[in-house]
């Protein structure tokens, strides 16, 4: 996909792509390199729609649609999931291209509306089955342990159920809020299992057509993560809606393993996994993760100790640092073709360090102050040697002053914590 093709996408198209309301003649491309990076271009609309949801929720319910710390964690997961694409093409496209180049049976015309609509159905059908398998399919794995001895020479054998696909997908379900930020809580691991469900399309669908619908299928699912939209009438019979997807995110007994659809709810109706929303939905995992730290959000589905709520000032500080990180993140994606591999790697490391440190602060971890001091020092170091720079050059001095103050503040906090810690 080509980030530089974004100038060819109009504002009207950028709005309509969020709802899969695009026409074949405006989204058909002969080669993969011509396909715009629609997901990257959607970032302003993600932010705008989240702000709109906040306003509507305040008007209708008198409260925000979720918690600030949970929203930051969800957006952090989204940032995390996109970082590998800075270095290489996604495995979903790489494997698809390999199958297309070596095993395709027929070559459907890339510019045919029939090919476009067939791909729409094929990608959505593949997503349904990937999504269903990620929730329901477990592997039986034999573990051999010397702790369980069946005989003098034979270790004990233990068989356990392991759902490898759920290990990646559970990230998306770990939020106990349900709002548009939840849609961004994506797993960095999920694409390493989802690709196989789309590969059969490579036997006859050109990669450029597939790449368009893979993005549109993902973007469509953003707007259905909200509680401010209720029933949509006859549309509920055909498409996936906020009401249907709320059921999917619920941990109520009637919600478990239901409504796997991406765009079309007809798959659930056909294969017997549909459930209408009735009683109030309780969101999240059946075993809550109770953490805002991004690595644990990505890889765990087990319960861990949960810290008390942080102060409003600390939340404001976290939002400011998160916003600065997002600015560097967006700039990195925009300029990745011009950046060296060393700069890309250092920026990715800084982004991960920032997400981790903010998670530590929100969780009130004992070493949070030490990690934040180190992170601010790393920022100044990368800034001085030119690997990071402000979007507005005139703010360079202000950035240095701000992060120097942060180093002093968190450094003093760290020294106090170390001084008060009992010696071992």
């Amino acid at each position: 996909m080509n980030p530089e093709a974004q100038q060819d996408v109009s504002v009207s198209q950028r709005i309509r792509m969020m709802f899969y309301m695009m026409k074949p003649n405006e989204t058909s491309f002969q080669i993969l390199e011509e396909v715009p990076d629609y997901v990257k271009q959607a970032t302003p609309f993600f932010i705008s729609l989240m702000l709109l949801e906040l306003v509507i929720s305040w008007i209708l319910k008198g409260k925000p649609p979720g918690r600030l710390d949970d929203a930051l964690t969800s957006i952090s997961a989204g940032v995390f999931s996109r970082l590998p694409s800075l270095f290489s093409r996604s495995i979903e496209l790489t494997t698809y291209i390999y199958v297309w180049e070596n095993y395709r049976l027929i070559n459907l015309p890339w510019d045919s509306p029939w090919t476009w609509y067939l791909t729409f159905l094929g990608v959505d059908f593949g997503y349904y089955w990937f999504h269903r398998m990620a929730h329901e399919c477990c592997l039986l794995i034999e573990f051999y342990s010397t702790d369980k001895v069946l005989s003098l020479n034979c270790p004990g054998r233990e068989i356990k159920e392991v759902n490898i696909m759920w290990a990646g997908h559970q990230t998306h379900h770990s939020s106990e809020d349900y709002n548009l930020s939840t849609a961004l809580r994506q797993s960095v691991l999920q694409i390493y299992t989802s690709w196989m469900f789309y590969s059969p399309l490579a036997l006859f669908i050109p990669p450029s057509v597939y790449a368009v619908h893979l993005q549109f299928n993902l973007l469509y699912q953003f707007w259905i993560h909200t509680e401010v939209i209720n029933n949509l009438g006859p549309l509920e019979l055909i498409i996936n809606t906020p009401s249907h997807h709320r059921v999917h995110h619920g941990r109520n007994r009637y919600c478990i393993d239901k409504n796997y659809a991406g765009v079309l709810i007809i798959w659930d109706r056909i294969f017997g996994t549909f459930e209408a929303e009735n009683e109030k939905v309780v969101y999240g995992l059946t075993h809550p993760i109770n953490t805002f730290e991004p690595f644990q959000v990505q890889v765990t589905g087990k319960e861990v100790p949960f810290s008390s709520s942080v102060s409003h000032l600390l939340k404001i500080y976290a939002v400011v640092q998160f916003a600065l990180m997002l600015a560097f993140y967006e700039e990195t994606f925009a300029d990745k073709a011009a950046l060296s591999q060393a700069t890309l790697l250092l920026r990715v490391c800084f982004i991960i360090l920032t997400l981790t440190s903010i998670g530590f602060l929100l969780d009130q971890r004992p070493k949070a102050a030490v990690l934040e001091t180190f992170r601010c020092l790393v920022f100044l170091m990368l800034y001085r040697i030119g690997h990071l720079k402000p979007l507005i050059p005139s703010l360079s001095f202000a950035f240095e002053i701000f992060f120097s103050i942060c180093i002093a503040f968190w450094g003093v906090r760290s020294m106090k914590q170390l001084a008060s810690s009992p010696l071992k």
Side-chain angles (χ1 to χ4, degrees), residues 26 77 88 110 179 217 233 262 264 290 300 321 323 383 410:
E26 59 187 351
S88 63
W110 63 271
N179 51 53
N217 190 276
L264 298 174
N290 292 343
T300 183
Q321 293 291 357
Y383 183 77
W410 292 110

Side-chain angles (χ1 to χ4, degrees), residues 43 46-48 50-51 53 67-83 171-172 174-175 179-187 222 292 294 297-298 318-319 322-323 325-327 329-330 351 355 358 362:
T43 300
F46 291 154
I47 297 171
S48 299
M50 283 190 287
L51 291 175
E53 181 190 38
R67 296 162 294 159
L68 175 63
D69 40 23
D70 189 84
L72 289 179
T73 304
S74 293
I75 301 171
S76 296
V79 169
F80 218 108
S81 69
R82 292 271 291 161
L83 292 178
T171 300
H172 182 62
S174 59
S175 174
N179 51 53
L180 292 178
S181 72
T182 308
L184 303 180
R185 188 180 283 230
Q186 298 293 323
S187 169
F222 176 76
F292 302 115
V297 169
Q298 288 289 334
V319 169
F322 191 83
M325 180 278 302
L326 275 183
Y329 167 83
E330 285 298 314
I351 289 169
L355 296 177
I358 290 174
L362 294 176

Side-chain angles (χ1 to χ4, degrees), residues 96-158:
Y96 192 94
I97 292 169
Y98 177 81
V99 175
W100 169 259
E101 291 179 345
N102 293 278
Y103 300 104
R104 71 176 179 266
L105 302 177
I106 57 175
N107 188 349
L108 293 181
W110 63 271
D111 55 352
S112 168
W114 292 106
T115 303
W116 196 92
Y117 288 114
L118 179 63
T119 310
F120 159 67
L121 291 173
V123 169
D124 201 46
F125 185 71
Y127 178 82
Y128 169 84
W129 282 107
F130 154 71
H131 201 182
R132 183 169 180 175
M133 292 301 102
H135 280 259
E136 298 182 9
C137 182
C138 290
L139 298 177
L140 294 178
I141 298 181
E142 292 186 358
F143 293 88
Y144 289 87
S145 172
T146 55
D147 295 334
K148 296 182 179 181
V149 180
L150 300 182
S151 67
L152 291 176
N153 298 316
C154 179
R157 186 179 72 173
E158 185 178 359

Side-chain angles (χ1 to χ4, degrees), residues 165-223:
M165 288 190 286
W166 174 249
H169 183 62
Q170 62 82 28
T171 300
H172 182 62
H173 284 266
S174 59
S175 174
E176 294 179 335
D177 293 335
Y178 190 77
N179 51 53
L180 292 178
S181 72
T182 308
L184 303 180
R185 188 180 283 230
Q186 298 293 323
S187 169
V188 72
L189 303 173
Q190 180 170 296
I191 60 172
Y192 296 100
T193 56
S194 62
W195 63 268
M196 64 186 73
F197 293 86
Y198 302 121
S199 293
L201 296 174
L203 298 175
F204 50 92
I205 301 291
S208 61
V209 185
Y210 165 73
V212 167
H213 287 278
L214 189 65
Q215 295 184 80
F216 288 167
N217 190 276
L218 176 65
L219 290 174
Y220 176 89
Q221 295 179 55
F222 176 76
W223 75 274

Side-chain angles (χ1 to χ4, degrees), residues 35 46 56 106 220 264 337 371 378 418:
V35 178
F46 291 154
I56 294 174
I106 57 175
Y220 176 89
L264 298 174
L371 183 61
V378 168
L418 291 174

